[in-house]
Amino acid sequence: MAMKAYDLIIVGAGPAGLCAALYAGRSMLKAVVLERGAPGGELLNTDLIEDYPGFESILGSELSQRMAAHALKFGAELVTDAVLSVEKQDDGAFLVTGESGDTYHAPVVILTAGGTPTKLGVPGEPEYAGRGVSYCAVCDGHFFRGEVLAVIGGGDAATEEADFLTRYASKVYVIHRRDAFRASPILQQRVFGNPKIEVIWNGVVERIEGDGRNVIQLALRDVVTGTRSELAVGGVFVFIGFQPNTGIVKGHFRHDAAGYFITDDVMMTSIPGLFAAGDVRAQLTRQITTAVGDATTAVIAAAKYLAELRDRQPVATT
Ligand code: NAP
């Protein structure tokens, strides 16, 4: 169990974390990026990206690799370790504890830990997770060639991934609890224009049923008429939002109703020295472009914060 000291600890290696690492390297800060899995974060759950300037169309996995390589080029230290806690100590510095047992110390932490997919919370969901219940179309879509699938949700993720899943599936039902999508118009257009997609409005899933090995059908209820029905599917993809990964931070911090960090305009949270960037932060939208923008601001502000801390250190007298 090692104890390592840095200027800056970056938690998470999605677009925000990798961009923060790039800027930290260019700011000559001693920084470490702690990530529990492969670098890329939600990029790894996204197939084609068409809204990142300079790349008309790029695979999420390829953009992840490019961002990681770019950060490494500027000296980023990428460490695979799941962060268990981020704690501000009495001396003002942060103690970050990893699953490995190693601890990391720094006056500044930038939390870019993203979020965890929200679960439906219905019977059958945990039992069939990985056996027909999925939260990642890019990861699992190819397992369902020629099958009938259901996608749950009405936001950008649900509509985008439903369209993607039609590459493999013979038919995709999009089941939404209201009678209108909240997804952006261009993604809605793709769904409505895709002959393999059928939308079930005002529908909620009451149960996910299987044969003991795989999902075979959904028990649905129409929230307007109260009618119950069964829908035969080979798999169900759930895209009903994310919960921000803020639970690792010990102590009180300002957050919005959904639990996202409220930051000031330089990405500092209500805990001095703790910055938040990307999907963990309360904001209008969560895009790759906004994540890297947040991270850029956070590192530049963090560098200033570190300089101010150093200026405040008492000068040693002999
Ligand atoms: P979201 O925008 O919050 O949408 C979640 C959807 O799930 C909503 O339609 C919501 O219904 C529904 N929902 C929530 N809880 C539910 C439940 N218990 N049962 C059934 N349905 C439920 O989340 P998201 O689609 O994951 O997107 C998250 C953020 O990432 C957004 O800011 C989005 O713009 C961004 N994103 C962007 C892209 C892109 O630009 N290409 C792709 C993916 C995500 P209601 O509408 O009734 O609330």
Side-chain angles (χ1 to χ4, degrees):
M1 286 189 285
M3 192 281 274
K4 298 166 191 169
Y6 296 90
D7 294 324
L8 171 62
I9 298 166
I10 298 161
V11 180
L18 293 171
C19 179
L22 164 75
Y23 272 85
R26 290 172 64 83
S27 305
M28 311 299 273
L29 296 173
K30 185 169 189 262
V32 64
V33 185
L34 302 174
E35 166 61 51
R36 62 183 165 194
E42 279 306 309
L43 289 183
L44 298 175
N45 292 338
T46 309
D47 179 44
L48 272 186
I49 290 159
E50 297 175 335
D51 53 6
Y52 193 64
F55 296 91
E56 277 180 27
S57 176
I58 184 166
L59 290 170
S61 53
E62 191 188 342
L63 189 57
S64 307
Q65 284 164 13
R66 285 182 181 232
M67 284 187 175
H70 200 166
L72 288 171
K73 183 186 163 197
F74 285 106
E77 185 181 338
L78 280 176
V79 172
T80 305
D81 199 358
V83 170
L84 299 180
S85 62
V86 175
E87 221 168 330
K88 186 144 178 155
Q89 297 176 290
D90 293 342
D91 65 359
F94 289 91
L95 168 68
V96 176
T97 306
E99 199 175 50
S100 64
D102 289 352
T103 56
Y104 308 83
H105 298 249
V108 170
V109 170
I110 301 182
L111 198 78
T112 68
T116 306
T118 306
K119 308 289 184 294
L120 277 173
V122 298
E125 186 181 24
E127 293 85 338
Y128 286 102
R131 294 188 296 148
V133 176
S134 173
Y135 306 88
C136 177
V138 176
C139 320
D140 299 331
H142 63 102
F143 295 125
F144 296 93
R145 280 178 202 279
E147 300 212 37
V148 176
L149 296 175
V151 164
I152 318 300
D156 283 347
T159 47
E160 186 170 50
E161 302 305 348
D163 187 50
F164 169 75
L165 285 167
T166 59
R167 294 179 191 193
Y168 306 105
S170 58
K171 175 154 190 139
V172 175
Y173 290 97
V174 177
I175 301 167
H176 184 36
R177 64 183 178 181
R178 291 191 293 127
D179 62 359
F181 287 139
R182 70 167 61 224
S184 51
I186 191 167
L187 295 175
Q188 294 197 32
Q189 246 176 37
R190 277 190 208 156
V191 163
F192 297 138
N194 188 326
K196 282 184 165 182
I197 297 180
E198 182 176 334
V199 182
I200 298 178
W201 300 112
N202 303 313
V204 292
V205 177
E206 290 195 317
R207 278 186 320 282
I208 297 172
E209 297 172 345
D211 58 7
R213 288 191 316 156
N214 298 305
V215 168
I216 55 168
Q217 65 178 17
L218 303 178
L220 302 181
R221 180 169 54 86
D222 185 309
V223 293
V224 175
T225 64
T227 313
R228 288 192 158 81
S229 60
E230 271 87 43
L231 183 71
V233 294
V236 54
F237 285 75
V238 181
F239 298 109
I240 60 169
F242 279 84
Q243 286 152 348
N245 289 329
T246 54
I248 52 176
V249 175
K250 304 299 166 209
H252 177 74
F253 55 86
R254 279 189 75 211
H255 58 81
D256 70 2
Y260 291 89
F261 280 112
I262 292 175
T263 67
D264 64 12
D265 61 353
V266 297
M267 310 302 146
M268 179 114 76
T269 69
S270 58
I271 300 177
L274 179 67
F275 294 78
D279 288 4
V280 288
R281 194 171 84 80
Q283 55 182 314
L284 174 67
T285 185
R286 296 187 176 80
Q287 307 290 318
I288 309 167
T289 46
T290 52
V292 298
D294 287 359
T296 308
T297 303
V299 175
I300 291 169
K304 286 191 175 163
Y305 177 86
L306 282 165
E308 282 164 15
L309 281 184
R310 283 191 195 112
D311 288 347
R312 272 191 248 141
Q313 299 275 323
V315 180
T317 50
T318 51

